[in-house]
Amino acid sequence: MSKLLIVLCAFLMLTLTPSVKADPIVVTSGSLSVTGISGGPHYSLFGENFSVNGGGEQGSSQPQSCFPCVSGNLIGLNGFFAGSSLGSGHLTIEGMTFNNLVFAGTFQFTGAAVTIPAATTNVSITAPFTFAGDLRACVFQGGPPDCSPGDAIFSTDLVGQGIATIQLNFIGINASGNSLYTFNSVTYNFQSAEVPEPMTITLLAGGLMGLGAKWKFAKKRRV
């Protein structure tokens, strides 16, 4: 029993702890929003010693997949933004701010599918989401906005989570008695999540190893 406990704890120290060091920047607050069926994203994302503010053109995939939206049907809250949809803006990293930047990369939001309710007024629907992406930043040189990897002054992977809210505008009742809506906006609000710190994992594994060794030593003394 003690040998198994010690081997398990050693595995935690050798595998879990190093993987934490490679984690991307975690977005802990801020939001990304899209207004109108042809609108582009506007975002302000914040993490530890990091913030980015920008906006661009319509995304490659946005959650307003119904027109009109009919009560009783499902609507997905996924969103995918890439290329020119990330647009331009400014970036702050480790206290240094860079303005007049062009952004590239991908923003992937994965949200649950939710049921459109029956009502005779505008409605708001919420659901949790997870976020993963990558971001490159280049100094705008004039001409068509472009940010190739070779020109990037900064790049990082991003992750996060939060609550997505989609707003639908009521437009009437169809012949079957279903409520009809049009898409108004969607907002992804980021929230921080408690995750184990690297030192916490190390202390936990070390403590368990010590406990296993103590148990083994006590067993020998009893023999």
Side-chain angles (χ1 to χ4, degrees):
M1 175 66 181
S2 62
K3 290 182 179 180
L4 179 61
L5 184 61
I6 293 173
V7 170
L8 178 60
C9 296
F11 176 79
L12 283 171
M13 295 183 71
L14 293 175
T15 59
L16 294 183
T17 303
S19 68
V20 175
K21 297 178 182 177
D23 279 352
I25 291 177
V26 179
V27 180
T28 55
S29 62
S31 64
L32 180 147
S33 61
V34 177
T35 301
I37 198 167
S38 60
H42 294 274
Y43 52 91
S44 296
L45 312 181
F46 302 91
E48 184 176 2
N49 299 317
F50 168 84
S51 67
V52 60
N53 295 269
E57 301 173 359
Q58 184 178 14
S60 304
S61 174
Q62 298 181 181
Q64 62 273 20
S65 57
C66 53
F67 183 81
C69 303
V70 182
S71 61
N73 290 347
L74 294 175
I75 183 170
L77 294 183
N78 294 341
F80 182 77
F81 307 91
S84 61
S85 68
L86 300 187
S88 59
H90 63 271
L91 168 76
T92 299
I93 184 74
E94 299 292 346
M96 298 180 62
T97 298
F98 302 88
N99 297 306
N100 199 28
L101 298 178
V102 177
F103 298 124
T106 59
F107 286 0
Q108 175 74 59
F109 295 86
T110 303
V114 291
T115 302
I116 301 172
T120 56
T121 60
N122 300 341
V123 297
S124 298
I125 311 171
T126 61
F129 72 85
T130 57
F131 167 76
D134 60 275
L135 179 71
R136 296 194 307 274
C138 297
V139 176
F140 180 59
Q141 304 288 349
D146 179 62
C147 186
S148 61
D151 295 328
I153 63 170
F154 174 80
S155 63
T156 186
D157 291 330
L158 300 168
V159 295
Q161 65 176 24
I163 299 295
T165 302
I166 190 168
Q167 304 274 354
L168 302 177
N169 289 346
F170 175 74
I171 56 174
I173 304 291
N174 65 12
S176 300
N178 301 111
S179 302
L180 304 177
Y181 306 90
T182 58
F183 171 81
N184 179 284
S185 66
V186 63
T187 301
Y188 299 95
N189 287 303
F190 286 86
Q191 298 177 346
S192 60
E194 295 296 330
V195 296
E197 295 289 341
M199 184 57 68
T200 302
I201 296 175
T202 303
L203 290 174
L204 174 62
L208 289 175
M209 289 182 71
L211 181 62
K214 182 179 180 181
W215 180 86
K216 184 176 181 180
F217 179 74
K219 182 179 179 181
K220 286 183 177 179
R221 291 188 61 184
R222 289 194 299 268
V223 175

